[in-house]
């Protein structure tokens, strides 16, 4: 069976039985998107339709973050798995295949980790260059990296800091384009460059143009941020990926369920350019957070704290 959801859908639609089942699931997913309350019979019919797919390749298909028809692929995945989309802690399976297991990502991450931890600071000590500035210069040597970085920077700075409001949606799309289409060798060095001073830290914090992509005039409630994320196929998918790969646990050796920091960093990068875009909270640390608050959460305070805690106090991250 095909692992690509777009191909799997084509195979299913060519089979009359699978086609009918899939159309039922499409109606179920549409009802959930429109926040329509399904009666008991409808819920049973939707659940049975998901079970009826049985060994269909649709049930096991995945998407690639850098594929051309990504949004279409993700829509197919959540159509088939709509029963998983009820809330944050039910997003148990990432719709993305995990390329972070590739050896080159691990190797690069190990070098990066050594720099951040200070084990390799000697090579920085004799270099007065801002490491984040250096990472930008390296990006500028690549036509694609330079072009896509310039694209999102120009979009995200329009209106920022003035009376005009920047176009956050376009800014987010530009950021996603940059992190999806530019080789990770460039993007992760710009985002995770190791800093020894606040000037460098400030440049790192401003990598994603936070005035437009990250900050609002007032901090919204984190639950509202979550709701807007779950209504968006890309954000919901990136959140599921982040939850799967950055799930903290209270056990050694590293406090992570998968013990794969490379996959967690990649999942973190995937959140940038979504309604739940995270960022560094200051120019003097590597702590990150969402731009939201859990004040006035009422009886959902605990759930809100868990969402915020996935970023603010996540040992994996």
């Amino acid at each position: 069976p095909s692992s690509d959801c777009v191909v799997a859908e084509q195979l299913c639609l060519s089979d009359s039985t699978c086609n009918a089942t899939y159309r039922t699931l499409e109606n179920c997913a549409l009802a959930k998107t429109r926040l329509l309350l399904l009666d008991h019979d409808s819920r049973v019919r939707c659940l049975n339709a998901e079970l009826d797919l049985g060994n269909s390749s649709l049930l096991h298909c995945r998407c690639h973050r850098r594929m051309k028809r990504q949004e279409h692929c993700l829509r197919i995945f959540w159509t088939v798995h709509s029963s998983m989309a009820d809330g944050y802690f039910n997003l148990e399976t990432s719709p993305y295949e995990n390329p972070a297991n590739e050896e080159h990502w691990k190797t690069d991450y190990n070098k990066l980790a050594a720099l951040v931890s200070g084990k390799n600071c000697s090579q920085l000590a004799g270099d007065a260059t801002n490491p984040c500035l250096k990472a930008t210069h390296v990006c500028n040597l690549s036509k694609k990296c330079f072009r896509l970085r310039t694209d999102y920077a120009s979009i995200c700075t329009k209106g920022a800091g003035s009376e005009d409001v920047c176009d956050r949606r376009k800014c987010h799309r530009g950021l996603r384009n940059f992190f999806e289409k530019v080789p990770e060798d460039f993007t992760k060095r710009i985002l995770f460059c190791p800093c020894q001073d606040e000037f460098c830290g400030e440049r790192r914090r401003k990598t994603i143009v936070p005035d437009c992509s990250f900050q609002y005039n007032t901090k919204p409630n984190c639950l509202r941020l979550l709701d807007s994320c779950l209504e968006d196929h890309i954000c919901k998918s990136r959140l599921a990926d982040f939850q799967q790969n950055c799930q903290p646990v209270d056990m050694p050796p590293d406090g992570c369920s998968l013990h794969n920091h490379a996959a967690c960093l990649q999942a973190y990068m995937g959140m940038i350019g979504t309604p739940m875009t995270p960022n560094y909270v200051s120019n003097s640390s590597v702590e990150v957070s969402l731009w939201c608050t859990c004040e006035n959460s009422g009886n959902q305070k605990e759930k809100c704290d868990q969402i915020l805690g996935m970023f603010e106090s996540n040992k994996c991250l």
Side-chain angles (χ1 to χ4, degrees), residues 142-161:
S142 159
K143 287 183 180 178
K144 178 181 275 190
C145 189
F146 175 72
R147 176 173 56 82
L148 291 174
R149 182 175 168 275
T150 303
D151 283 352
Y152 85 72
S154 63
I155 295 167
C156 298
T157 49
K158 282 180 183 174

Side-chain angles (χ1 to χ4, degrees), residues 54-94:
N55 292 322
S56 164
S57 53
L58 269 174
L59 204 59
H60 309 287
C61 71
R62 290 292 183 272
C63 302
H64 306 281
R65 190 173 282 126
R66 293 172 177 247
M67 68 189 298
K68 286 184 178 179
R69 301 180 67 191
Q70 182 184 164
E71 287 192 55
H72 179 65
C73 184
L74 295 173
R75 182 186 62 75
I76 297 167
F77 179 89
W78 291 114
T79 295
V80 176
H81 298 282
S82 64
S83 62
M84 290 165 46
D86 290 332
Y88 179 66
F89 293 102
N90 289 335
L91 298 177
E92 296 168 354
T93 304
S94 170

Side-chain angles (χ1 to χ4, degrees), residues 16-178:
S16 58
T17 305
C18 187
N19 191 329
T21 303
Y22 184 63
R23 295 306 181 193
T24 299
L25 286 173
E26 279 189 318
N27 291 331
C28 298
L30 186 62
K32 284 203 169 193
T33 302
R34 292 176 178 173
L35 302 178
L36 300 176
L37 290 175
L38 298 176
D39 58 36
H40 175 72
D41 290 345
S42 297
R43 286 200 301 272
V44 170
R45 188 165 62 249
C46 291
L47 191 58
N48 286 339
E50 194 171 315
L51 294 172
D52 285 345
L53 283 179
N55 292 322
S56 164
S57 53
L58 269 174
L59 204 59
H60 309 287
C61 71
R62 290 292 183 272
C63 302
H64 306 281
R65 190 173 282 126
R66 293 172 177 247
M67 68 189 298
K68 286 184 178 179
R69 301 180 67 191
Q70 182 184 164
E71 287 192 55
H72 179 65
C73 184
L74 295 173
R75 182 186 62 75
I76 297 167
F77 179 89
W78 291 114
T79 295
V80 176
H81 298 282
S82 64
S83 62
M84 290 165 46
D86 290 332
Y88 179 66
F89 293 102
N90 289 335
L91 298 177
E92 296 168 354
T93 304
S94 170
Y96 291 111
E97 291 189 350
N98 188 8
N101 288 323
E102 294 175 13
E103 203 57 42
H104 76 271
W105 225 105
K106 286 185 177 180
T107 304
D108 286 345
Y109 170 75
N110 289 335
K111 290 178 184 175
L112 195 65
L115 283 172
V116 172
S117 66
K119 293 175 185 174
N120 205 6
C121 285
S122 56
Q123 72 181 67
L124 291 174
D127 188 352
T129 306
N130 180 328
C132 290
L133 191 60
K134 184 187 289 185
T136 303
H137 288 159
V138 172
C139 170
N140 291 343
L141 296 175
S142 159
K143 287 183 180 178
K144 178 181 275 190
C145 189
F146 175 72
R147 176 173 56 82
L148 291 174
R149 182 175 168 275
T150 303
D151 283 352
Y152 85 72
S154 63
I155 295 167
C156 298
T157 49
K158 282 180 183 174
S162 69
E163 292 181 3
D164 298 325
V165 178
C166 71
D167 192 328
R168 183 170 279 109
R169 188 181 292 271
K170 283 187 177 178
C171 175
H172 281 169
R173 194 185 307 132
L175 280 166
R176 290 200 308 272
N177 264 340
F178 177 74

Side-chain angles (χ1 to χ4, degrees), residues 239-250:
L239 185 59
D241 196 48
F242 180 79
Q243 184 182 354
Q244 176 177 295
N245 290 299
C246 298
Q247 189 65 259
V249 290
D250 296 326

Side-chain angles (χ1 to χ4, degrees), residues 214 216 218-223 225 276 289-295 304 307-308 312:
F214 178 65
Y216 299 77
T218 57
K219 283 189 176 183
N221 186 280
C222 297
L223 294 169
L225 217 59
M276 288 184 73
S289 181
L290 298 172
W291 184 261
C292 63
T293 178
C294 284
E295 292 178 12
C304 186
I307 294 162
L308 194 54
E312 285 191 341

